[in-house]
Amino acid sequence: MFGIYLKRELSRRKKAALVIAMGLALGIALVITVNSVSAGMQQAQDKVLKSLYGLGTDMTVTKAQAAPTGNASGRPKFDFDARSDSSDTQSSDRVMTQGGQALKSSLVEKVAAQKGVASAVGALSLNVTKVDGSFTQGKAKSSTTQQQGGGQGGPGGGTSTGQPQVQGGGASFDVNSYSVAGVDVTHQDLGPLATSKITTGKTFTTSQTNAKVAVLSKSYAKENKYTVGKTIKISGTKFKVIGIATPDSSESTTDVYLPLKQAQTLGDSKNKVTTIYVKATDSKQIDTVKTTIQKNIDGTTVTTSADLADTVSGSLSTASNLATSVGKWLSIAVLVAAFLVAALLTSSAVSRRVREFGTLKALGWPSGKVTRQVVGESIVNGLLGGALGIGIGLTAAYTVTAISPTLTAQLGSSGGGGGMGGGPGGQGGPGRQAASTTMDIALSAPVSLTTIALAAGLAIAGGLIAGAMGGWRASRMRPADALRSVQ
């Protein structure tokens, strides 16, 4: 009886049922869309952070660059010989550490021994500025002028030689700057190379701790026409290219990867590192591990992924903030409004069915049965709205993923020079952070099963709320109300 009556009443009131269902559908669709876009924002931000940290890295340990002492400026200095032979090309490399002040390699073991640390790996960040070109000496030439004779009876005139003047000459030099990372080849799953995959050639072997081999980033190799098997010369030392690495993100912050010992030799930083990459035993205890390291190891700066996320700016940050704040509050407001509209429409529909419910009670229907009838109709409306809302939400999320709008993430330097981009070696004085890196990230809108389950739950909740209000009103009707409504 309940099912038959329910089906008949829904068929009789198709328009009212559709209006209630559409109201709930719009609210649920907005919730799905906002949640999926927020999830896409989080994935994009994680992708940006992994481009600096690498998969599995929870934090980095660095030390802020010290101020220069005395007359030292910390800026690159190049010495050239202005020889007369212009056919000779001169070249000079300046290798400087970047990413903060160098730390002793022994600190890596000390950090690894801290409570809550699963593993720690040291890396050395270098900036190489290469200047090459040639001088052309100018030639000194004297100018000769013709002079006229003096007064009457004087000599008939002559020539005079002026001051010699330098003509021609000059210099033509090319400046190329690139970044180098020293990698602990025995622990490549943590550190700067963990952000990339070897797509051509091979990576370092554990026996190549001091080998003169190099892995290049794909963009740097393409720009400079390097392939596997060729050699790259850095500050007079030749390295054989054994692999090409493609970054997991759209842009790499490192151009050349070398074994750590070779990088230390180039940078005159024996037994030194600039960054210690740390993986925690429990991702939920990262803040505790950070506090422990800062307490037990003086003078260091510990930067977590959450700290680094605060330095991300650009359209990605703006859109993420909008999705988190405005989007979620808007979806909540629309959902609450949809629930209220559904409840009011259901209550209004009950008012128009006074004769019907009064007659049913006169026939012996108890108030509870009348209430269950109204609640059942409302739940069906809610389920219908949930199905429509899930369909609309999935369509909206798929549309966002298909369009894949590009968001820009600008990576500012963290306070301690953590990550691979900070440190001296850029323009300006020592200790100044390198220019921020800009990355383009394609936005997607993944929809999880949790989001769909949430939508279904909201649909049922909306039906229950609307049914509760309508059922309460229907249960209060009396058979006499039906007789008074007869015209």
Side-chain angles (χ1 to χ4, degrees), residues 120-137:
V121 174
L124 183 68
S125 302
L126 302 174
N127 180 271
V128 181
T129 305
K130 182 180 181 64
V131 179
D132 55 3
S134 61
F135 288 99
T136 302
Q137 284 193 340

Side-chain angles (χ1 to χ4, degrees), residues 4 18 82 142 159 166 172 186 208 212 220 320 325 338 431 448-449 471:
I4 297 174
L18 185 60
S142 301
T159 60
V166 178
S172 175
T186 60
Q208 293 176 323
K212 294 181 179 179
Y220 184 78
S320 180
S325 56
S448 64
L449 292 176

Side-chain angles (χ1 to χ4, degrees), residues 47 75 100 170 194 250 252 270 276 284 300 320 385 405 411 416 464 475:
K47 193 174 183 181
R75 289 189 292 268
S250 59
S252 174
K270 185 178 180 180
I276 301 175
K284 297 180 180 179
T300 58
S320 180
L411 307 176
L464 287 173
S475 65

Side-chain angles (χ1 to χ4, degrees), residues 28 52 103 141 159 167 176 197 212 217 229 236 273 279 294 328 364 391 403 414 452:
I28 292 170
L52 296 182
L103 302 166
K141 292 185 179 181
T159 60
Q167 298 181 358
N176 179 29
K197 295 180 181 179
K212 294 181 179 179
S217 69
V273 296
K279 182 178 181 180
Q294 288 179 326
K328 287 190 176 180
I403 296 175
S414 59
I452 295 178

Side-chain angles (χ1 to χ4, degrees), residues 109-461:
E109 296 180 0
K110 189 174 181 180
V111 171
Q114 300 300 309
K115 183 179 180 180
V117 175
S119 58
V121 174
L124 183 68
S125 302
L126 302 174
N127 180 271
V128 181
T129 305
K130 182 180 181 64
V131 179
D132 55 3
S134 61
F135 288 99
T136 302
Q137 284 193 340
K139 296 183 178 180
K141 292 185 179 181
S142 301
S143 59
T144 303
T145 58
Q146 186 74 27
Q147 295 182 347
Q148 299 294 330
Q152 190 176 12
T159 60
S160 65
T161 303
Q163 293 292 331
Q165 296 179 348
V166 178
Q167 298 181 358
S172 175
F173 283 87
D174 178 62
V175 180
N176 179 29
S177 180
Y178 55 95
S179 60
V180 176
V183 180
D184 186 344
V185 298
T186 60
H187 298 89
Q188 298 181 49
D189 56 338
L190 192 63
L193 194 54
T195 64
S196 302
K197 295 180 181 179
I198 303 298
T199 52
T200 305
K202 58 184 180 180
T203 187
F204 303 109
T205 62
T206 55
S207 62
Q208 293 176 323
T209 55
N210 199 26
K212 294 181 179 179
V213 291
V215 172
L216 308 184
S217 69
K218 183 179 180 180
S219 58
Y220 184 78
K222 182 178 180 181
E223 179 182 356
N224 295 276
K225 298 180 180 179
Y226 284 113
T227 57
V228 174
K230 287 190 174 183
T231 59
I232 179 173
K233 190 175 182 180
I234 305 175
S235 191
T237 304
K238 292 183 179 180
F239 298 88
K240 182 180 179 180
V241 179
I242 62 171
I244 305 297
T246 301
D248 295 332
S249 61
S250 59
E251 184 176 343
S252 174
T253 55
T254 303
D255 299 316
V256 181
Y257 302 92
L258 301 176
L260 181 57
K261 288 187 177 180
Q262 286 293 331
Q264 290 171 337
T265 302
L266 283 177
D268 194 21
S269 302
K270 185 178 180 180
N271 296 326
K272 296 289 184 66
V273 296
T274 53
T275 306
I276 301 175
Y277 293 80
V278 181
K279 182 178 181 180
T281 54
D282 186 357
S283 60
K284 297 180 180 179
Q285 301 296 324
I286 290 178
D287 290 338
T288 304
V289 176
K290 174 182 177 179
T291 303
T292 302
I293 295 175
Q294 288 179 326
K295 180 181 178 181
N296 297 334
I297 304 177
D298 297 332
T300 58
T301 301
V302 182
T303 308
T304 66
S305 56
D307 298 329
L308 199 61
D310 294 336
T311 69
V312 179
S313 59
S315 60
L316 173 59
S317 177
T318 303
S320 180
N321 291 334
L322 286 174
T324 302
S325 56
V326 179
K328 287 190 176 180
W329 283 112
L330 179 62
S331 62
I332 292 173
V334 171
L335 194 61
V336 170
F339 283 0
L340 290 176
V341 169
L344 291 174
L345 289 176
T346 302
S347 181
S348 177
V350 169
S351 299
R352 293 193 298 270
R353 298 167 65 184
V354 173
R355 182 187 304 175
E356 175 186 340
F357 290 129
T359 303
L360 289 175
K361 297 192 76 172
L363 293 175
W365 276 39
S367 297
K369 191 172 183 179
V370 173
T371 301
R372 287 195 299 270
Q373 184 67 42
V374 176
V375 171
E377 295 175 8
S378 298
I379 291 177
V380 172
N381 289 335
L383 292 175
L384 178 60
L388 291 173
I390 292 173
I392 296 173
L394 290 176
T395 301
Y398 176 78
T399 303
V400 172
T401 303
I403 296 175
S404 296
T406 301
L407 299 178
T408 301
Q410 190 171 4
L411 307 176
S413 56
S414 59
M420 301 302 297
Q427 296 178 350
R432 176 174 176 172
Q433 299 296 333
S436 58
T437 303
T438 301
M439 299 177 62
D440 292 331
I441 303 294
L443 177 65
S444 62
V447 180
S448 64
L449 292 176
T450 303
T451 302
I452 295 178
L454 174 64
L458 290 173
I460 296 174

